[in-house]
Amino acid sequence: MKTKRILFGLLLSIGLFTLSCSSDDNEGETIVPIQGKYNLSKTGTIVDGKEVLVDAPENAAGCNRDYLDLRLSNAAVIGDYDGANCALVETTGTYVRSHNDLTITIGNLSTTSDIMNLTNKELKIKNKTTGVITVYTR
């Protein structure tokens, strides 16, 4: 009788252990926080099934790199350095992250992108409408 109880307890423990892990699956979603300031690094598209990325032409020569600042308050700030004196123009809007989608709204314009890669050092997104890939680095 004692052996049956020990065996039953062991089987029950194994069953609970294997079932408890299934709800922890993140379904391919990256779990790194998205908040932070990212410098614009590269842009490109997919050609013949391969990513073709080049240094971002939006970055003005001799100036700091343009940036995307995603804040905890869900504010999105886009910084654009331009002109001979590298004047900074900041545009503020909001952002929403839903699984691996990132939607940035500035005024009446919203763009939704797939988050292709998100690490502590890189944010790579692909615009769902245009297919343009943008790489930001920290």
mmCIF file of all heavy atoms in Angstrom, residues 110-133:
data_model
loop_
_atom_site.group_PDB
_atom_site.id
_atom_site.type_symbol
_atom_site.label_atom_id
_atom_site.label_comp_id
_atom_site.label_asym_id
_atom_site.label_seq_id
_atom_site.Cartn_x
_atom_site.Cartn_y
_atom_site.Cartn_z
ATOM 1 N N SER A 110 -0.344 56.678 -38.634
ATOM 2 C CA SER A 110 0.099 55.505 -37.878
ATOM 3 C C SER A 110 0.825 54.550 -38.803
ATOM 4 O O SER A 110 0.400 54.328 -39.936
ATOM 5 C CB SER A 110 -1.098 54.773 -37.262
ATOM 6 O OG SER A 110 -1.626 55.505 -36.200
ATOM 7 N N THR A 111 1.921 54.004 -38.313
ATOM 8 C CA THR A 111 2.638 52.968 -39.056
ATOM 9 C C THR A 111 2.804 51.764 -38.147
ATOM 10 O O THR A 111 3.154 51.904 -36.976
ATOM 11 C CB THR A 111 4.029 53.454 -39.523
ATOM 12 O OG1 THR A 111 4.788 53.869 -38.391
ATOM 13 C CG2 THR A 111 3.912 54.602 -40.507
ATOM 14 N N THR A 112 2.546 50.595 -38.702
ATOM 15 C CA THR A 112 2.695 49.349 -37.953
ATOM 16 C C THR A 112 3.815 48.541 -38.579
ATOM 17 O O THR A 112 3.874 48.370 -39.796
ATOM 18 C CB THR A 112 1.379 48.547 -37.954
ATOM 19 O OG1 THR A 112 0.357 49.355 -37.371
ATOM 20 C CG2 THR A 112 1.520 47.267 -37.156
ATOM 21 N N SER A 113 4.695 48.050 -37.727
ATOM 22 C CA SER A 113 5.850 47.282 -38.175
ATOM 23 C C SER A 113 5.944 45.985 -37.397
ATOM 24 O O SER A 113 5.516 45.909 -36.240
ATOM 25 C CB SER A 113 7.142 48.082 -37.962
ATOM 26 O OG SER A 113 7.104 49.305 -38.653
ATOM 27 N N ASP A 114 6.521 44.968 -38.050
ATOM 28 C CA ASP A 114 6.869 43.717 -37.372
ATOM 29 C C ASP A 114 8.203 43.925 -36.669
ATOM 30 O O ASP A 114 9.135 44.484 -37.259
ATOM 31 C CB ASP A 114 7.033 42.571 -38.375
ATOM 32 C CG ASP A 114 5.723 42.084 -38.945
ATOM 33 O OD1 ASP A 114 4.739 42.036 -38.194
ATOM 34 O OD2 ASP A 114 5.698 41.765 -40.146
ATOM 35 N N ILE A 115 8.302 43.477 -35.428
ATOM 36 C CA ILE A 115 9.586 43.508 -34.734
ATOM 37 C C ILE A 115 10.337 42.253 -35.165
ATOM 38 O O ILE A 115 10.002 41.152 -34.772
ATOM 39 C CB ILE A 115 9.398 43.552 -33.208
ATOM 40 C CG1 ILE A 115 8.629 44.802 -32.802
ATOM 41 C CG2 ILE A 115 10.754 43.489 -32.507
ATOM 42 C CD1 ILE A 115 8.233 44.834 -31.342
ATOM 43 N N MET A 116 11.350 42.436 -36.000
ATOM 44 C CA MET A 116 12.121 41.309 -36.520
ATOM 45 C C MET A 116 13.170 40.845 -35.522
ATOM 46 O O MET A 116 13.473 39.663 -35.447
ATOM 47 C CB MET A 116 12.793 41.702 -37.837
ATOM 48 C CG MET A 116 11.819 42.067 -38.937
ATOM 49 S SD MET A 116 12.658 42.637 -40.426
ATOM 50 C CE MET A 116 13.410 41.105 -40.995
ATOM 51 N N ASN A 117 13.752 41.809 -34.791
ATOM 52 C CA ASN A 117 14.783 41.477 -33.813
ATOM 53 C C ASN A 117 14.769 42.550 -32.735
ATOM 54 O O ASN A 117 14.726 43.737 -33.039
ATOM 55 C CB ASN A 117 16.160 41.411 -34.475
ATOM 56 C CG ASN A 117 17.222 40.863 -33.550
ATOM 57 O OD1 ASN A 117 16.946 40.033 -32.681
ATOM 58 N ND2 ASN A 117 18.450 41.334 -33.712
ATOM 59 N N LEU A 118 14.806 42.124 -31.495
ATOM 60 C CA LEU A 118 14.877 43.050 -30.374
ATOM 61 C C LEU A 118 15.811 42.453 -29.335
ATOM 62 O O LEU A 118 15.532 41.408 -28.763
ATOM 63 C CB LEU A 118 13.492 43.285 -29.766
ATOM 64 C CG LEU A 118 13.445 44.165 -28.519
ATOM 65 C CD1 LEU A 118 14.002 45.561 -28.795
ATOM 66 C CD2 LEU A 118 12.016 44.258 -27.999
ATOM 67 N N THR A 119 16.949 43.110 -29.166
ATOM 68 C CA THR A 119 17.917 42.701 -28.153
ATOM 69 C C THR A 119 18.252 43.919 -27.310
ATOM 70 O O THR A 119 17.712 45.005 -27.530
ATOM 71 C CB THR A 119 19.208 42.139 -28.790
ATOM 72 O OG1 THR A 119 19.867 43.203 -29.506
ATOM 73 C CG2 THR A 119 18.914 40.984 -29.732
ATOM 74 N N ASN A 120 19.173 43.758 -26.382
ATOM 75 C CA ASN A 120 19.608 44.893 -25.579
ATOM 76 C C ASN A 120 20.370 45.926 -26.403
ATOM 77 O O ASN A 120 20.561 47.050 -25.964
ATOM 78 C CB ASN A 120 20.481 44.424 -24.414
ATOM 79 C CG ASN A 120 19.677 43.665 -23.392
ATOM 80 O OD1 ASN A 120 18.492 43.898 -23.217
ATOM 81 N ND2 ASN A 120 20.337 42.735 -22.717
ATOM 82 N N LYS A 121 20.809 45.551 -27.602
ATOM 83 C CA LYS A 121 21.610 46.457 -28.426
ATOM 84 C C LYS A 121 20.970 46.813 -29.766
ATOM 85 O O LYS A 121 21.455 47.714 -30.441
ATOM 86 C CB LYS A 121 22.987 45.834 -28.680
ATOM 87 C CG LYS A 121 23.778 45.659 -27.411
ATOM 88 C CD LYS A 121 25.162 45.164 -27.685
ATOM 89 C CE LYS A 121 25.861 45.011 -26.353
ATOM 90 N NZ LYS A 121 27.285 44.966 -26.437
ATOM 91 N N GLU A 122 19.889 46.123 -30.170
ATOM 92 C CA GLU A 122 19.347 46.350 -31.511
ATOM 93 C C GLU A 122 17.829 46.208 -31.540
ATOM 94 O O GLU A 122 17.255 45.359 -30.875
ATOM 95 C CB GLU A 122 19.964 45.354 -32.491
ATOM 96 C CG GLU A 122 19.431 45.480 -33.902
ATOM 97 C CD GLU A 122 19.983 44.432 -34.845
ATOM 98 O OE1 GLU A 122 19.403 43.335 -34.919
ATOM 99 O OE2 GLU A 122 21.005 44.728 -35.487
ATOM 100 N N LEU A 123 17.212 47.075 -32.339
ATOM 101 C CA LEU A 123 15.795 46.978 -32.674
ATOM 102 C C LEU A 123 15.704 46.982 -34.194
ATOM 103 O O LEU A 123 16.130 47.937 -34.838
ATOM 104 C CB LEU A 123 14.998 48.156 -32.091
ATOM 105 C CG LEU A 123 13.557 48.314 -32.579
ATOM 106 C CD1 LEU A 123 12.701 47.121 -32.148
ATOM 107 C CD2 LEU A 123 12.956 49.613 -32.069
ATOM 108 N N LYS A 124 15.208 45.872 -34.750
ATOM 109 C CA LYS A 124 15.040 45.778 -36.204
ATOM 110 C C LYS A 124 13.553 45.599 -36.481
ATOM 111 O O LYS A 124 12.935 44.666 -35.977
ATOM 112 C CB LYS A 124 15.811 44.595 -36.778
ATOM 113 C CG LYS A 124 15.709 44.508 -38.314
ATOM 114 C CD LYS A 124 16.250 43.210 -38.880
ATOM 115 C CE LYS A 124 17.722 43.074 -38.734
ATOM 116 N NZ LYS A 124 18.240 41.874 -39.451
ATOM 117 N N ILE A 125 12.997 46.530 -37.291
ATOM 118 C CA ILE A 125 11.574 46.471 -37.603
ATOM 119 C C ILE A 125 11.366 46.480 -39.107
ATOM 120 O O ILE A 125 12.207 46.974 -39.859
ATOM 121 C CB ILE A 125 10.804 47.645 -36.946
ATOM 122 C CG1 ILE A 125 11.374 48.994 -37.379
ATOM 123 C CG2 ILE A 125 10.793 47.511 -35.435
ATOM 124 C CD1 ILE A 125 10.592 50.189 -36.835
ATOM 125 N N LYS A 126 10.236 45.900 -39.518
ATOM 126 C CA LYS A 126 9.879 45.862 -40.939
ATOM 127 C C LYS A 126 8.479 46.435 -41.088
ATOM 128 O O LYS A 126 7.519 45.907 -40.523
ATOM 129 C CB LYS A 126 9.914 44.419 -41.463
ATOM 130 C CG LYS A 126 9.555 44.299 -42.926
ATOM 131 C CD LYS A 126 9.619 42.854 -43.368
ATOM 132 C CE LYS A 126 9.146 42.696 -44.785
ATOM 133 N NZ LYS A 126 9.062 41.278 -45.158
ATOM 134 N N ASN A 127 8.368 47.522 -41.839
ATOM 135 C CA ASN A 127 7.087 48.185 -42.057
ATOM 136 C C ASN A 127 6.147 47.236 -42.776
ATOM 137 O O ASN A 127 6.488 46.683 -43.828
ATOM 138 C CB ASN A 127 7.298 49.465 -42.872
ATOM 139 C CG ASN A 127 6.057 50.292 -42.989
ATOM 140 O OD1 ASN A 127 5.054 49.843 -43.547
ATOM 141 N ND2 ASN A 127 6.121 51.507 -42.500
ATOM 142 N N LYS A 128 4.947 47.025 -42.208
ATOM 143 C CA LYS A 128 3.999 46.067 -42.788
ATOM 144 C C LYS A 128 3.450 46.526 -44.128
ATOM 145 O O LYS A 128 3.067 45.692 -44.948
ATOM 146 C CB LYS A 128 2.847 45.811 -41.816
ATOM 147 C CG LYS A 128 3.240 44.973 -40.633
ATOM 148 C CD LYS A 128 2.035 44.537 -39.844
ATOM 149 C CE LYS A 128 2.462 43.557 -38.784
ATOM 150 N NZ LYS A 128 1.434 42.627 -38.431
ATOM 151 N N THR A 129 3.407 47.821 -44.370
ATOM 152 C CA THR A 129 2.850 48.341 -45.618
ATOM 153 C C THR A 129 3.893 48.399 -46.728
ATOM 154 O O THR A 129 3.662 47.934 -47.831
ATOM 155 C CB THR A 129 2.263 49.751 -45.395
ATOM 156 O OG1 THR A 129 1.307 49.683 -44.341
ATOM 157 C CG2 THR A 129 1.593 50.265 -46.655
ATOM 158 N N THR A 130 5.058 48.978 -46.423
ATOM 159 C CA THR A 130 6.070 49.206 -47.456
ATOM 160 C C THR A 130 7.112 48.097 -47.548
ATOM 161 O O THR A 130 7.801 47.989 -48.561
ATOM 162 C CB THR A 130 6.815 50.529 -47.187
ATOM 163 O OG1 THR A 130 7.510 50.421 -45.934
ATOM 164 C CG2 THR A 130 5.841 51.698 -47.149
ATOM 165 N N GLY A 131 7.291 47.319 -46.475
ATOM 166 C CA GLY A 131 8.314 46.278 -46.464
ATOM 167 C C GLY A 131 9.702 46.800 -46.151
ATOM 168 O O GLY A 131 10.672 46.050 -46.170
ATOM 169 N N VAL A 132 9.820 48.100 -45.851
ATOM 170 C CA VAL A 132 11.122 48.685 -45.544
ATOM 171 C C VAL A 132 11.584 48.211 -44.170
ATOM 172 O O VAL A 132 10.834 48.236 -43.203
ATOM 173 C CB VAL A 132 11.054 50.231 -45.581
ATOM 174 C CG1 VAL A 132 12.347 50.855 -45.075
ATOM 175 C CG2 VAL A 132 10.755 50.704 -46.990
ATOM 176 N N ILE A 133 12.837 47.776 -44.113
ATOM 177 C CA ILE A 133 13.451 47.324 -42.865
ATOM 178 C C ILE A 133 14.281 48.465 -42.305
ATOM 179 O O ILE A 133 15.052 49.104 -43.033
ATOM 180 C CB ILE A 133 14.341 46.092 -43.106
ATOM 181 C CG1 ILE A 133 13.503 44.928 -43.629
ATOM 182 C CG2 ILE A 133 15.082 45.699 -41.828
ATOM 183 C CD1 ILE A 133 14.324 43.753 -44.117
#
